[in-house]
Amino acid sequence: MIYDEGDANPLHRRIPGEVVSRRRLPPKRPPPEKEPETVDVDLRAVVLLKPEARLKWLTKACKMVTDGSASSTDLYDIVVNRKFVSGMPERVVRKISLVIQESLDLFSDKQQRYLSSNECPIMARLVVRDRERAEEEERDREEAAEEA
């Protein structure tokens, strides 16, 4: 219908319809926050892990003790156990000893002394390896001296 000035009906003065599509973008989800991973502080579970996985477990367990979600005595009991170190290559044992040395402040004074001593299975294993290397080097030097 054509617009007539005398027509009082407002519906007759409307603009012809137009289709408009308004697309709403889905709201952007924030990237999921990485929750601090919790690990099971249990000797049986730890012994079943591969050596490299034990190293990762130890770093996470130390963080948990720092946060207060795990007990330092439980961690100490696991680290001191001979089964924890059994079957590990020397490089992993060295890395584990470094992690323990960095986080010594988590343990009591008596525990710190034991972890730093040669009686601790981790340190004892490193000392044995160092002695074996020193003996091999000494034998090599003696053989080289005999040949010359």
Side-chain angles (χ1 to χ4, degrees), residues 2 9 15 17 31 38 58 76 80 87 89 91 94 96 108 117 138-141 144-145:
I2 299 176
N9 190 350
I15 300 174
T38 58
L58 181 62
Y76 173 79
V80 171
R91 64 179 178 80
R94 288 197 184 278
I96 284 179
S108 69
S117 72
E138 191 174 317
R139 281 187 229 135
D140 292 341
R141 285 186 208 143

Side-chain angles (χ1 to χ4, degrees), residues 36-37 57-70 75 103 106:
E37 295 184 20
W57 174 89
L58 181 62
T59 56
K60 291 176 186 176
C62 288
K63 288 179 186 176
M64 284 178 54
V65 171
T66 305
D67 297 340
S69 58
L75 178 62
S103 58
L106 301 175

Side-chain angles (χ1 to χ4, degrees), residues 5-148:
E5 289 183 24
D7 192 4
N9 190 350
L11 293 177
H12 291 268
R13 286 185 258 155
R14 65 180 180 206
I15 300 174
E18 195 174 301
V19 176
V20 177
S21 172
R22 295 187 184 201
R23 295 183 186 160
R24 292 191 177 136
L25 296 174
K28 291 184 179 179
R29 295 180 185 165
E33 295 181 16
K34 293 183 179 178
E35 296 179 13
E37 295 184 20
T38 58
V39 290
D40 192 20
V41 184
D42 180 38
L43 180 63
R44 291 180 185 157
V46 175
V47 171
L48 294 176
L49 296 174
K50 293 182 179 178
E52 285 79 16
R54 289 183 202 175
L55 178 63
K56 290 180 183 178
W57 174 89
L58 181 62
T59 56
K60 291 176 186 176
C62 288
K63 288 179 186 176
M64 284 178 54
V65 171
T66 305
D67 297 340
S69 58
S71 170
S72 64
T73 55
D74 292 340
L75 178 62
Y76 173 79
D77 291 338
I78 292 171
V79 169
V80 171
N81 196 312
R82 294 195 182 281
K83 293 178 183 177
F84 181 70
V85 188
S86 66
M88 283 192 186
E90 182 182 352
R91 64 179 178 80
V92 177
V93 174
R94 288 197 184 278
K95 288 179 183 178
I96 284 179
S97 69
L98 289 174
V99 170
I100 290 173
Q101 294 301 322
E102 289 172 359
S103 58
L104 271 179
D105 58 327
L106 301 175
F107 303 104
S108 69
D109 291 338
K110 190 173 181 180
Q111 291 172 342
Q112 288 179 11
R113 274 184 268 137
Y114 183 75
L115 287 171
S116 300
S117 72
N118 292 341
E119 296 174 11
C120 177
I122 294 171
M123 298 303 169
R125 188 152 173 210
L126 290 176
V127 168
V128 168
R129 298 277 173 121
D130 290 340
R131 284 182 192 163
E132 289 174 358
R133 279 188 181 164
E135 289 173 2
E136 287 178 17
E137 290 175 4
E138 191 174 317
R139 281 187 229 135
D140 292 341
R141 285 186 208 143
E142 290 174 0
E143 290 175 4
E146 290 175 5
E147 292 176 2

